[in-house]
Amino acid sequence: MILIDELSINKKQEPILSIERATIYAFLLKNPLALANVLLSLNKKVPIDIKEYEIGNIATTYPNKARYYRLKETKSMIQLLHAFGMVEIAPDVITRMPSIVVTEKGRDLSKGFKSDYFVRIREISEAVKMLHSVSIPAIRSSLNQVLDEN
């Protein structure tokens, strides 16, 4: 829910979050070290500090690459959120494909998440926003390169 609330709209307040982009963003939110390396490979500033607990273990050093291709799982989650009135589907301003946008009900729920974990997810979301202007193929290419280096 936080992902959609924080990342579905660009600076111009236009919907941009496709199922494919949501899947990639979810992967990057769970793997901030990979996100930092992707941003660096795209010559972008890394606006987050990587925490000690986010590096140095098997899961963070060798994340499961298949996770950012699981569009079916993301689509199922979006359908569930839509059924509960947490998200709406709107046309993407660039591709005219369906984009996911949080509703007021979803935003209220998202804002209620206040633990340290959710605060960290919001911090990482700020870094992910730097990828809004990057094409999905470019993000995938950079991510593959970063993951293959490990």
Side-chain angles (χ1 to χ4, degrees), residues 130-144:
M130 298 182 76
L131 298 173
H132 279 343
S133 62
V134 180
S135 72
I136 291 171
I139 296 170
R140 281 201 189 281
S141 174
S142 178
L143 188 51
N144 281 330

Side-chain angles (χ1 to χ4, degrees), residues 3-6 9 18 26 36 42 45 51-53 64-65 92-93 98 105 111 113 115 122 124-125:
L3 181 150
I4 298 167
D5 186 22
E6 298 287 330
I9 303 291
S18 65
L42 293 169
K45 182 182 171 198
K51 306 292 184 193
E52 189 174 319
Y53 63 86
N64 184 353
K65 205 161 125 173
D92 182 294
V93 295
K105 184 177 178 181
K111 297 302 180 204
F113 300 137
S115 73
R122 284 188 181 88
I124 298 168
S125 293

Side-chain angles (χ1 to χ4, degrees), residues 2-3 7 17 19-42 44-51 53-55 59-60 63-70 74 117 120-148 150:
I2 292 173
L3 181 150
L7 299 171
L17 190 64
I19 300 276
E20 189 171 12
R21 199 171 280 271
T23 304
I24 294 168
Y25 286 178
F27 178 86
L28 292 171
L29 284 173
K30 292 176 186 172
N31 297 284
L33 183 59
L35 170 62
N37 289 330
V38 166
L39 290 172
L40 286 172
S41 74
L42 293 169
K44 297 197 177 275
K45 182 182 171 198
V46 179
I48 56 169
D49 291 324
I50 303 301
K51 306 292 184 193
Y53 63 86
E54 295 170 336
I55 57 174
T60 58
N64 184 353
K65 205 161 125 173
R67 288 191 134 341
Y68 74 90
Y69 286 104
R70 294 186 179 160
T74 304
Y117 172 77
R120 182 62 178 157
I121 293 296
R122 284 188 181 88
E123 289 172 5
I124 298 168
S125 293
E126 287 301 312
V128 173
K129 285 180 183 178
M130 298 182 76
L131 298 173
H132 279 343
S133 62
V134 180
S135 72
I136 291 171
I139 296 170
R140 281 201 189 281
S141 174
S142 178
L143 188 51
N144 281 330
Q145 181 181 4
V146 162
L147 295 177
D148 288 345
N150 289 335

Side-chain angles (χ1 to χ4, degrees), residues 1 4 17 19 73-91 98-107 109:
M1 200 64 240
I4 298 167
L17 190 64
I19 300 276
E73 290 176 13
T74 304
K75 186 175 180 180
S76 295
M77 180 60 71
I78 298 304
Q79 288 172 330
L80 185 63
L81 291 170
H82 186 264
F84 283 103
M86 302 292 176
V87 299
E88 295 176 345
I89 308 301
S99 285
I100 306 126
V101 180
V102 70
T103 63
E104 276 305 311
K105 184 177 178 181
R107 184 167 284 118
L109 176 68

